[in-house]
Amino acid sequence: MWSVLQILLIIATTDAFTTSIFGKKCFRSNVNCKMNINYNTNKYVDYDTQNSFIDNKVRHPTIIQGGDTLRTWSFKSPHVEQVQVKLTSEGRPLDSDIEIWQGPDNVPCKMRVYIENGAYRPFYAVFRTPRAPNTIAIRNIGAIEFPLIADVKSSNVVNPSELCLSSFSPIQGGALRTYAFNPFVESSQIMLKTDGRPLNARIELLQGPNNNKIVIELYIDDGFEKPFFCILNTPDTGNVIRIVNTSPIEFPLIASVTPNSMNRDTMDPIMG
């Protein structure tokens, strides 16, 4: 006859073995997901691709005066895993620093955004904010005569389209890649991510030789858990988006640049 103690020991050993096997399967699945860079299976990147178009209205405007003025938005709820930031102006240049604060002296994401005309080309970006609390800090580093308008929200967030999620191409460290658009492309989606390494990049919107309309300098400590997604307006003709991987060669990234909205009725004729 088996004693009660022996039966309990056998059950405990079986449960421990089953848990170990299950843990190994989960670990292998996560590793394969990370190495294959399967965007849709990342638990922190569950974007709704149906909501992929921008809303030009500023729902909750906050004016940030120039001269190094700082404004912050705090999100303490652990259910807030992504935040949308919109920056615009009344037609003047826009120059700002955006940071995510996560605990004391911990800045997992920061960027500098320069726009020649904030009203004509507003800036939309979505930041991943896993593990609360998180704080979005926006500093207007432009002159005091150049205020900007910020809108930060965690609901009805703009998300990438299915085309954007399936159009990644690698950019090695120190390399660059350019994307030219037809005149009827009014806005473009940009997504950058890595396999878990830090992400350092510069995004430029050019219109003509050495004519920068938008410049974004970006740093993220983990490009897999917190990929970068933004939408840039590309009106008129001759728009080219240039992405430079400013990291060393050991830190590649993958980028996707696709059209967001198009208007064929406003396409200007090209004279040959």
Side-chain angles (χ1 to χ4, degrees), residues 150-187:
D151 186 11
V152 179
K153 63 179 183 179
S154 59
S155 60
N156 298 323
V157 174
V158 175
N159 290 318
S161 63
E162 294 182 358
L163 177 62
C164 182
L165 296 177
S166 60
S167 303
F168 286 103
S169 56
I171 302 178
Q172 297 296 329
L176 65 86
R177 187 181 293 269
T178 59
Y179 305 82
F181 291 94
N182 290 322
F184 52 80
V185 177
E186 293 185 334
S187 61

PDB file of all heavy atoms in Angstrom, residues 150-187:
ATOM      1  N   ALA A 150       0.726  70.938 -27.975  1.00  0.00           N
ATOM      2  CA  ALA A 150       0.897  69.503 -27.747  1.00  0.00           C
ATOM      3  C   ALA A 150      -0.430  68.868 -27.375  1.00  0.00           C
ATOM      4  O   ALA A 150      -1.268  69.481 -26.701  1.00  0.00           O
ATOM      5  CB  ALA A 150       1.926  69.259 -26.640  1.00  0.00           C
ATOM      6  N   ASP A 151      -0.612  67.646 -27.812  1.00  0.00           N
ATOM      7  CA  ASP A 151      -1.794  66.851 -27.482  1.00  0.00           C
ATOM      8  C   ASP A 151      -1.321  65.441 -27.166  1.00  0.00           C
ATOM      9  O   ASP A 151      -0.793  64.748 -28.036  1.00  0.00           O
ATOM     10  CB  ASP A 151      -2.788  66.849 -28.644  1.00  0.00           C
ATOM     11  CG  ASP A 151      -4.098  66.148 -28.281  1.00  0.00           C
ATOM     12  OD1 ASP A 151      -4.290  65.858 -27.094  1.00  0.00           O
ATOM     13  OD2 ASP A 151      -4.917  65.905 -29.188  1.00  0.00           O
ATOM     14  N   VAL A 152      -1.485  65.015 -25.907  1.00  0.00           N
ATOM     15  CA  VAL A 152      -1.036  63.703 -25.455  1.00  0.00           C
ATOM     16  C   VAL A 152      -2.251  62.932 -24.957  1.00  0.00           C
ATOM     17  O   VAL A 152      -3.006  63.425 -24.114  1.00  0.00           O
ATOM     18  CB  VAL A 152       0.016  63.825 -24.333  1.00  0.00           C
ATOM     19  CG1 VAL A 152       0.462  62.450 -23.862  1.00  0.00           C
ATOM     20  CG2 VAL A 152       1.217  64.635 -24.814  1.00  0.00           C
ATOM     21  N   LYS A 153      -2.445  61.715 -25.469  1.00  0.00           N
ATOM     22  CA  LYS A 153      -3.606  60.918 -25.073  1.00  0.00           C
ATOM     23  C   LYS A 153      -3.256  59.439 -25.134  1.00  0.00           C
ATOM     24  O   LYS A 153      -2.296  59.031 -25.814  1.00  0.00           O
ATOM     25  CB  LYS A 153      -4.798  61.219 -25.982  1.00  0.00           C
ATOM     26  CG  LYS A 153      -4.579  60.862 -27.447  1.00  0.00           C
ATOM     27  CD  LYS A 153      -5.817  61.172 -28.280  1.00  0.00           C
ATOM     28  CE  LYS A 153      -5.632  60.759 -29.727  1.00  0.00           C
ATOM     29  NZ  LYS A 153      -6.825  61.028 -30.547  1.00  0.00           N
ATOM     30  N   SER A 154      -4.048  58.648 -24.400  1.00  0.00           N
ATOM     31  CA  SER A 154      -3.838  57.194 -24.351  1.00  0.00           C
ATOM     32  C   SER A 154      -5.014  56.419 -24.939  1.00  0.00           C
ATOM     33  O   SER A 154      -4.990  55.188 -24.933  1.00  0.00           O
ATOM     34  CB  SER A 154      -3.612  56.746 -22.903  1.00  0.00           C
ATOM     35  OG  SER A 154      -4.722  57.091 -22.086  1.00  0.00           O
ATOM     36  N   SER A 155      -6.037  57.109 -25.445  1.00  0.00           N
ATOM     37  CA  SER A 155      -7.193  56.453 -26.055  1.00  0.00           C
ATOM     38  C   SER A 155      -7.296  56.865 -27.522  1.00  0.00           C
ATOM     39  O   SER A 155      -6.834  57.943 -27.913  1.00  0.00           O
ATOM     40  CB  SER A 155      -8.480  56.840 -25.322  1.00  0.00           C
ATOM     41  OG  SER A 155      -8.692  58.242 -25.361  1.00  0.00           O
ATOM     42  N   ASN A 156      -7.905  55.995 -28.325  1.00  0.00           N
ATOM     43  CA  ASN A 156      -8.053  56.245 -29.769  1.00  0.00           C
ATOM     44  C   ASN A 156      -6.702  56.566 -30.405  1.00  0.00           C
ATOM     45  O   ASN A 156      -6.542  57.547 -31.132  1.00  0.00           O
ATOM     46  CB  ASN A 156      -9.051  57.375 -30.026  1.00  0.00           C
ATOM     47  CG  ASN A 156     -10.439  57.046 -29.532  1.00  0.00           C
ATOM     48  OD1 ASN A 156     -10.889  55.910 -29.617  1.00  0.00           O
ATOM     49  ND2 ASN A 156     -11.132  58.048 -28.993  1.00  0.00           N
ATOM     50  N   VAL A 157      -5.758  55.719 -30.116  1.00  0.00           N
ATOM     51  CA  VAL A 157      -4.387  55.935 -30.579  1.00  0.00           C
ATOM     52  C   VAL A 157      -4.262  55.499 -32.033  1.00  0.00           C
ATOM     53  O   VAL A 157      -4.840  54.482 -32.454  1.00  0.00           O
ATOM     54  CB  VAL A 157      -3.400  55.161 -29.687  1.00  0.00           C
ATOM     55  CG1 VAL A 157      -1.984  55.245 -30.226  1.00  0.00           C
ATOM     56  CG2 VAL A 157      -3.446  55.712 -28.268  1.00  0.00           C
ATOM     57  N   VAL A 158      -3.505  56.270 -32.807  1.00  0.00           N
ATOM     58  CA  VAL A 158      -3.242  55.923 -34.206  1.00  0.00           C
ATOM     59  C   VAL A 158      -2.335  54.685 -34.244  1.00  0.00           C
ATOM     60  O   VAL A 158      -1.360  54.593 -33.491  1.00  0.00           O
ATOM     61  CB  VAL A 158      -2.567  57.098 -34.928  1.00  0.00           C
ATOM     62  CG1 VAL A 158      -2.186  56.701 -36.344  1.00  0.00           C
ATOM     63  CG2 VAL A 158      -3.485  58.293 -34.944  1.00  0.00           C
ATOM     64  N   ASN A 159      -2.643  53.739 -35.106  1.00  0.00           N
ATOM     65  CA  ASN A 159      -1.887  52.493 -35.198  1.00  0.00           C
ATOM     66  C   ASN A 159      -1.419  52.241 -36.620  1.00  0.00           C
ATOM     67  O   ASN A 159      -2.011  52.747 -37.571  1.00  0.00           O
ATOM     68  CB  ASN A 159      -2.746  51.317 -34.727  1.00  0.00           C
ATOM     69  CG  ASN A 159      -2.987  51.355 -33.235  1.00  0.00           C
ATOM     70  OD1 ASN A 159      -2.070  51.641 -32.472  1.00  0.00           O
ATOM     71  ND2 ASN A 159      -4.208  51.091 -32.820  1.00  0.00           N
ATOM     72  N   PRO A 160      -0.358  51.471 -36.795  1.00  0.00           N
ATOM     73  CA  PRO A 160       0.156  51.200 -38.138  1.00  0.00           C
ATOM     74  C   PRO A 160      -0.782  50.311 -38.937  1.00  0.00           C
ATOM     75  O   PRO A 160      -1.531  49.500 -38.378  1.00  0.00           O
ATOM     76  CB  PRO A 160       1.495  50.511 -37.882  1.00  0.00           C
ATOM     77  CG  PRO A 160       1.357  49.926 -36.527  1.00  0.00           C
ATOM     78  CD  PRO A 160       0.487  50.861 -35.757  1.00  0.00           C
ATOM     79  N   SER A 161      -0.712  50.454 -40.243  1.00  0.00           N
ATOM     80  CA  SER A 161      -1.530  49.639 -41.136  1.00  0.00           C
ATOM     81  C   SER A 161      -0.880  48.274 -41.332  1.00  0.00           C
ATOM     82  O   SER A 161       0.282  48.044 -40.970  1.00  0.00           O
ATOM     83  CB  SER A 161      -1.696  50.342 -42.481  1.00  0.00           C
ATOM     84  OG  SER A 161      -0.435  50.492 -43.116  1.00  0.00           O
ATOM     85  N   GLU A 162      -1.633  47.361 -41.922  1.00  0.00           N
ATOM     86  CA  GLU A 162      -1.090  46.031 -42.201  1.00  0.00           C
ATOM     87  C   GLU A 162       0.062  46.108 -43.195  1.00  0.00           C
ATOM     88  O   GLU A 162       1.012  45.320 -43.120  1.00  0.00           O
ATOM     89  CB  GLU A 162      -2.199  45.127 -42.729  1.00  0.00           C
ATOM     90  CG  GLU A 162      -3.296  44.832 -41.710  1.00  0.00           C
ATOM     91  CD  GLU A 162      -4.352  43.895 -42.250  1.00  0.00           C
ATOM     92  OE1 GLU A 162      -4.232  43.512 -43.436  1.00  0.00           O
ATOM     93  OE2 GLU A 162      -5.275  43.555 -41.502  1.00  0.00           O
ATOM     94  N   LEU A 163      -0.015  47.031 -44.143  1.00  0.00           N
ATOM     95  CA  LEU A 163       1.093  47.202 -45.093  1.00  0.00           C
ATOM     96  C   LEU A 163       2.359  47.633 -44.377  1.00  0.00           C
ATOM     97  O   LEU A 163       3.455  47.145 -44.682  1.00  0.00           O
ATOM     98  CB  LEU A 163       0.704  48.234 -46.154  1.00  0.00           C
ATOM     99  CG  LEU A 163       1.783  48.584 -47.181  1.00  0.00           C
ATOM    100  CD1 LEU A 163       2.164  47.358 -47.987  1.00  0.00           C
ATOM    101  CD2 LEU A 163       1.307  49.705 -48.101  1.00  0.00           C
ATOM    102  N   CYS A 164       2.225  48.530 -43.404  1.00  0.00           N
ATOM    103  CA  CYS A 164       3.398  48.983 -42.653  1.00  0.00           C
ATOM    104  C   CYS A 164       3.999  47.844 -41.834  1.00  0.00           C
ATOM    105  O   CYS A 164       5.222  47.739 -41.718  1.00  0.00           O
ATOM    106  CB  CYS A 164       2.997  50.155 -41.751  1.00  0.00           C
ATOM    107  SG  CYS A 164       4.362  50.875 -40.807  1.00  0.00           S
ATOM    108  N   LEU A 165       3.165  46.988 -41.273  1.00  0.00           N
ATOM    109  CA  LEU A 165       3.650  45.886 -40.440  1.00  0.00           C
ATOM    110  C   LEU A 165       4.307  44.773 -41.242  1.00  0.00           C
ATOM    111  O   LEU A 165       4.955  43.900 -40.661  1.00  0.00           O
ATOM    112  CB  LEU A 165       2.494  45.304 -39.625  1.00  0.00           C
ATOM    113  CG  LEU A 165       1.849  46.240 -38.594  1.00  0.00           C
ATOM    114  CD1 LEU A 165       0.672  45.556 -37.925  1.00  0.00           C
ATOM    115  CD2 LEU A 165       2.863  46.681 -37.557  1.00  0.00           C
ATOM    116  N   SER A 166       4.153  44.799 -42.556  1.00  0.00           N
ATOM    117  CA  SER A 166       4.698  43.724 -43.395  1.00  0.00           C
ATOM    118  C   SER A 166       5.723  44.232 -44.401  1.00  0.00           C
ATOM    119  O   SER A 166       6.002  43.535 -45.378  1.00  0.00           O
ATOM    120  CB  SER A 166       3.555  43.019 -44.138  1.00  0.00           C
ATOM    121  OG  SER A 166       2.853  43.937 -44.973  1.00  0.00           O
ATOM    122  N   SER A 167       6.277  45.411 -44.184  1.00  0.00           N
ATOM    123  CA  SER A 167       7.186  46.002 -45.187  1.00  0.00           C
ATOM    124  C   SER A 167       8.523  46.398 -44.582  1.00  0.00           C
ATOM    125  O   SER A 167       9.108  47.416 -44.957  1.00  0.00           O
ATOM    126  CB  SER A 167       6.526  47.235 -45.829  1.00  0.00           C
ATOM    127  OG  SER A 167       5.288  46.904 -46.416  1.00  0.00           O
ATOM    128  N   PHE A 168       9.029  45.603 -43.643  1.00  0.00           N
ATOM    129  CA  PHE A 168      10.291  45.942 -42.998  1.00  0.00           C
ATOM    130  C   PHE A 168      11.472  45.582 -43.884  1.00  0.00           C
ATOM    131  O   PHE A 168      11.454  44.592 -44.610  1.00  0.00           O
ATOM    132  CB  PHE A 168      10.421  45.204 -41.661  1.00  0.00           C
ATOM    133  CG  PHE A 168       9.540  45.769 -40.572  1.00  0.00           C
ATOM    134  CD1 PHE A 168       8.370  45.134 -40.219  1.00  0.00           C
ATOM    135  CD2 PHE A 168       9.896  46.928 -39.917  1.00  0.00           C
ATOM    136  CE1 PHE A 168       7.558  45.637 -39.218  1.00  0.00           C
ATOM    137  CE2 PHE A 168       9.098  47.447 -38.926  1.00  0.00           C
ATOM    138  CZ  PHE A 168       7.935  46.809 -38.574  1.00  0.00           C
ATOM    139  N   SER A 169      12.507  46.411 -43.790  1.00  0.00           N
ATOM    140  CA  SER A 169      13.770  46.148 -44.466  1.00  0.00           C
ATOM    141  C   SER A 169      14.901  46.539 -43.531  1.00  0.00           C
ATOM    142  O   SER A 169      14.786  47.518 -42.770  1.00  0.00           O
ATOM    143  CB  SER A 169      13.865  46.941 -45.779  1.00  0.00           C
ATOM    144  OG  SER A 169      13.684  48.323 -45.539  1.00  0.00           O
ATOM    145  N   PRO A 170      16.015  45.811 -43.535  1.00  0.00           N
ATOM    146  CA  PRO A 170      17.092  46.075 -42.568  1.00  0.00           C
ATOM    147  C   PRO A 170      17.939  47.286 -42.960  1.00  0.00           C
ATOM    148  O   PRO A 170      18.131  47.586 -44.143  1.00  0.00           O
ATOM    149  CB  PRO A 170      17.908  44.789 -42.620  1.00  0.00           C
ATOM    150  CG  PRO A 170      17.678  44.253 -43.998  1.00  0.00           C
ATOM    151  CD  PRO A 170      16.279  44.634 -44.370  1.00  0.00           C
ATOM    152  N   ILE A 171      18.442  47.962 -41.935  1.00  0.00           N
ATOM    153  CA  ILE A 171      19.415  49.051 -42.105  1.00  0.00           C
ATOM    154  C   ILE A 171      20.544  48.787 -41.123  1.00  0.00           C
ATOM    155  O   ILE A 171      20.341  48.831 -39.901  1.00  0.00           O
ATOM    156  CB  ILE A 171      18.786  50.434 -41.845  1.00  0.00           C
ATOM    157  CG1 ILE A 171      17.589  50.673 -42.771  1.00  0.00           C
ATOM    158  CG2 ILE A 171      19.819  51.537 -42.039  1.00  0.00           C
ATOM    159  CD1 ILE A 171      16.893  51.997 -42.543  1.00  0.00           C
ATOM    160  N   GLN A 172      21.721  48.499 -41.625  1.00  0.00           N
ATOM    161  CA  GLN A 172      22.851  48.194 -40.766  1.00  0.00           C
ATOM    162  C   GLN A 172      23.343  49.455 -40.045  1.00  0.00           C
ATOM    163  O   GLN A 172      23.037  50.581 -40.443  1.00  0.00           O
ATOM    164  CB  GLN A 172      23.989  47.593 -41.595  1.00  0.00           C
ATOM    165  CG  GLN A 172      23.643  46.267 -42.245  1.00  0.00           C
ATOM    166  CD  GLN A 172      23.357  45.177 -41.238  1.00  0.00           C
ATOM    167  OE1 GLN A 172      23.927  45.167 -40.141  1.00  0.00           O
ATOM    168  NE2 GLN A 172      22.477  44.247 -41.578  1.00  0.00           N
ATOM    169  N   GLY A 173      24.104  49.237 -38.982  1.00  0.00           N
ATOM    170  CA  GLY A 173      24.640  50.365 -38.242  1.00  0.00           C
ATOM    171  C   GLY A 173      25.538  51.236 -39.101  1.00  0.00           C
ATOM    172  O   GLY A 173      26.401  50.737 -39.837  1.00  0.00           O
ATOM    173  N   GLY A 174      25.333  52.537 -39.065  1.00  0.00           N
ATOM    174  CA  GLY A 174      26.096  53.468 -39.881  1.00  0.00           C
ATOM    175  C   GLY A 174      25.594  53.629 -41.298  1.00  0.00           C
ATOM    176  O   GLY A 174      26.132  54.461 -42.039  1.00  0.00           O
ATOM    177  N   ALA A 175      24.581  52.873 -41.690  1.00  0.00           N
ATOM    178  CA  ALA A 175      24.048  52.948 -43.053  1.00  0.00           C
ATOM    179  C   ALA A 175      22.805  53.820 -43.085  1.00  0.00           C
ATOM    180  O   ALA A 175      22.259  54.214 -42.052  1.00  0.00           O
ATOM    181  CB  ALA A 175      23.734  51.551 -43.576  1.00  0.00           C
ATOM    182  N   LEU A 176      22.354  54.120 -44.300  1.00  0.00           N
ATOM    183  CA  LEU A 176      21.131  54.899 -44.474  1.00  0.00           C
ATOM    184  C   LEU A 176      20.319  54.315 -45.611  1.00  0.00           C
ATOM    185  O   LEU A 176      20.820  53.585 -46.467  1.00  0.00           O
ATOM    186  CB  LEU A 176      21.449  56.380 -44.721  1.00  0.00           C
ATOM    187  CG  LEU A 176      22.202  56.776 -45.999  1.00  0.00           C
ATOM    188  CD1 LEU A 176      21.276  56.979 -47.180  1.00  0.00           C
ATOM    189  CD2 LEU A 176      23.001  58.037 -45.761  1.00  0.00           C
ATOM    190  N   ARG A 177      19.036  54.658 -45.604  1.00  0.00           N
ATOM    191  CA  ARG A 177      18.120  54.218 -46.651  1.00  0.00           C
ATOM    192  C   ARG A 177      17.142  55.355 -46.936  1.00  0.00           C
ATOM    193  O   ARG A 177      16.698  56.042 -46.007  1.00  0.00           O
ATOM    194  CB  ARG A 177      17.377  52.953 -46.237  1.00  0.00           C
ATOM    195  CG  ARG A 177      16.516  52.344 -47.341  1.00  0.00           C
ATOM    196  CD  ARG A 177      15.809  51.105 -46.813  1.00  0.00           C
ATOM    197  NE  ARG A 177      16.752  50.048 -46.515  1.00  0.00           N
ATOM    198  CZ  ARG A 177      17.127  49.109 -47.385  1.00  0.00           C
ATOM    199  NH1 ARG A 177      16.623  49.126 -48.627  1.00  0.00           N
ATOM    200  NH2 ARG A 177      17.966  48.165 -47.037  1.00  0.00           N
ATOM    201  N   THR A 178      16.832  55.557 -48.204  1.00  0.00           N
ATOM    202  CA  THR A 178      15.926  56.631 -48.607  1.00  0.00           C
ATOM    203  C   THR A 178      14.675  56.039 -49.229  1.00  0.00           C
ATOM    204  O   THR A 178      14.705  54.964 -49.851  1.00  0.00           O
ATOM    205  CB  THR A 178      16.598  57.586 -49.604  1.00  0.00           C
ATOM    206  OG1 THR A 178      17.017  56.849 -50.768  1.00  0.00           O
ATOM    207  CG2 THR A 178      17.799  58.270 -48.968  1.00  0.00           C
ATOM    208  N   TYR A 179      13.567  56.776 -49.058  1.00  0.00           N
ATOM    209  CA  TYR A 179      12.267  56.369 -49.580  1.00  0.00           C
ATOM    210  C   TYR A 179      11.640  57.579 -50.266  1.00  0.00           C
ATOM    211  O   TYR A 179      11.365  58.584 -49.616  1.00  0.00           O
ATOM    212  CB  TYR A 179      11.349  55.882 -48.466  1.00  0.00           C
ATOM    213  CG  TYR A 179      11.923  54.762 -47.624  1.00  0.00           C
ATOM    214  CD1 TYR A 179      12.806  55.038 -46.581  1.00  0.00           C
ATOM    215  CD2 TYR A 179      11.588  53.432 -47.864  1.00  0.00           C
ATOM    216  CE1 TYR A 179      13.326  54.025 -45.798  1.00  0.00           C
ATOM    217  CE2 TYR A 179      12.102  52.410 -47.086  1.00  0.00           C
ATOM    218  CZ  TYR A 179      12.981  52.717 -46.059  1.00  0.00           C
ATOM    219  OH  TYR A 179      13.501  51.707 -45.280  1.00  0.00           O
ATOM    220  N   ALA A 180      11.431  57.487 -51.571  1.00  0.00           N
ATOM    221  CA  ALA A 180      10.814  58.558 -52.342  1.00  0.00           C
ATOM    222  C   ALA A 180       9.331  58.245 -52.571  1.00  0.00           C
ATOM    223  O   ALA A 180       8.946  57.076 -52.729  1.00  0.00           O
ATOM    224  CB  ALA A 180      11.520  58.737 -53.684  1.00  0.00           C
ATOM    225  N   PHE A 181       8.501  59.296 -52.580  1.00  0.00           N
ATOM    226  CA  PHE A 181       7.061  59.125 -52.702  1.00  0.00           C
ATOM    227  C   PHE A 181       6.530  59.911 -53.891  1.00  0.00           C
ATOM    228  O   PHE A 181       7.082  60.952 -54.273  1.00  0.00           O
ATOM    229  CB  PHE A 181       6.350  59.596 -51.430  1.00  0.00           C
ATOM    230  CG  PHE A 181       6.605  58.702 -50.240  1.00  0.00           C
ATOM    231  CD1 PHE A 181       7.623  58.978 -49.360  1.00  0.00           C
ATOM    232  CD2 PHE A 181       5.814  57.589 -50.024  1.00  0.00           C
ATOM    233  CE1 PHE A 181       7.864  58.158 -48.273  1.00  0.00           C
ATOM    234  CE2 PHE A 181       6.050  56.762 -48.938  1.00  0.00           C
ATOM    235  CZ  PHE A 181       7.074  57.046 -48.059  1.00  0.00           C
ATOM    236  N   ASN A 182       5.430  59.409 -54.451  1.00  0.00           N
ATOM    237  CA  ASN A 182       4.735  60.108 -55.523  1.00  0.00           C
ATOM    238  C   ASN A 182       4.047  61.359 -54.974  1.00  0.00           C
ATOM    239  O   ASN A 182       3.785  61.460 -53.770  1.00  0.00           O
ATOM    240  CB  ASN A 182       3.708  59.189 -56.175  1.00  0.00           C
ATOM    241  CG  ASN A 182       4.365  58.085 -56.980  1.00  0.00           C
ATOM    242  OD1 ASN A 182       5.382  58.308 -57.628  1.00  0.00           O
ATOM    243  ND2 ASN A 182       3.791  56.888 -56.946  1.00  0.00           N
ATOM    244  N   PRO A 183       3.730  62.314 -55.836  1.00  0.00           N
ATOM    245  CA  PRO A 183       3.134  63.567 -55.341  1.00  0.00           C
ATOM    246  C   PRO A 183       1.789  63.404 -54.667  1.00  0.00           C
ATOM    247  O   PRO A 183       1.400  64.253 -53.866  1.00  0.00           O
ATOM    248  CB  PRO A 183       3.014  64.420 -56.611  1.00  0.00           C
ATOM    249  CG  PRO A 183       4.001  63.846 -57.577  1.00  0.00           C
ATOM    250  CD  PRO A 183       4.045  62.384 -57.273  1.00  0.00           C
ATOM    251  N   PHE A 184       1.034  62.332 -54.986  1.00  0.00           N
ATOM    252  CA  PHE A 184      -0.292  62.195 -54.393  1.00  0.00           C
ATOM    253  C   PHE A 184      -0.275  61.541 -53.013  1.00  0.00           C
ATOM    254  O   PHE A 184      -1.326  61.334 -52.424  1.00  0.00           O
ATOM    255  CB  PHE A 184      -1.218  61.405 -55.325  1.00  0.00           C
ATOM    256  CG  PHE A 184      -0.674  60.086 -55.786  1.00  0.00           C
ATOM    257  CD1 PHE A 184      -0.739  58.979 -54.974  1.00  0.00           C
ATOM    258  CD2 PHE A 184      -0.106  59.969 -57.045  1.00  0.00           C
ATOM    259  CE1 PHE A 184      -0.246  57.765 -55.390  1.00  0.00           C
ATOM    260  CE2 PHE A 184       0.392  58.753 -57.473  1.00  0.00           C
ATOM    261  CZ  PHE A 184       0.323  57.644 -56.661  1.00  0.00           C
ATOM    262  N   VAL A 185       0.899  61.197 -52.478  1.00  0.00           N
ATOM    263  CA  VAL A 185       0.997  60.660 -51.120  1.00  0.00           C
ATOM    264  C   VAL A 185       1.017  61.829 -50.143  1.00  0.00           C
ATOM    265  O   VAL A 185       1.970  62.606 -50.096  1.00  0.00           O
ATOM    266  CB  VAL A 185       2.255  59.791 -50.949  1.00  0.00           C
ATOM    267  CG1 VAL A 185       2.380  59.305 -49.508  1.00  0.00           C
ATOM    268  CG2 VAL A 185       2.223  58.609 -51.911  1.00  0.00           C
ATOM    269  N   GLU A 186      -0.042  61.977 -49.369  1.00  0.00           N
ATOM    270  CA  GLU A 186      -0.176  63.121 -48.461  1.00  0.00           C
ATOM    271  C   GLU A 186       0.492  62.899 -47.117  1.00  0.00           C
ATOM    272  O   GLU A 186       0.897  63.854 -46.459  1.00  0.00           O
ATOM    273  CB  GLU A 186      -1.655  63.442 -48.249  1.00  0.00           C
ATOM    274  CG  GLU A 186      -2.358  63.964 -49.491  1.00  0.00           C
ATOM    275  CD  GLU A 186      -3.781  64.373 -49.192  1.00  0.00           C
ATOM    276  OE1 GLU A 186      -4.372  63.829 -48.237  1.00  0.00           O
ATOM    277  OE2 GLU A 186      -4.299  65.242 -49.912  1.00  0.00           O
ATOM    278  N   SER A 187       0.594  61.653 -46.662  1.00  0.00           N
ATOM    279  CA  SER A 187       1.249  61.351 -45.392  1.00  0.00           C
ATOM    280  C   SER A 187       1.820  59.949 -45.456  1.00  0.00           C
ATOM    281  O   SER A 187       1.357  59.107 -46.244  1.00  0.00           O
ATOM    282  CB  SER A 187       0.274  61.496 -44.212  1.00  0.00           C
ATOM    283  OG  SER A 187      -0.801  60.591 -44.340  1.00  0.00           O
TER     284      SER A 187
END
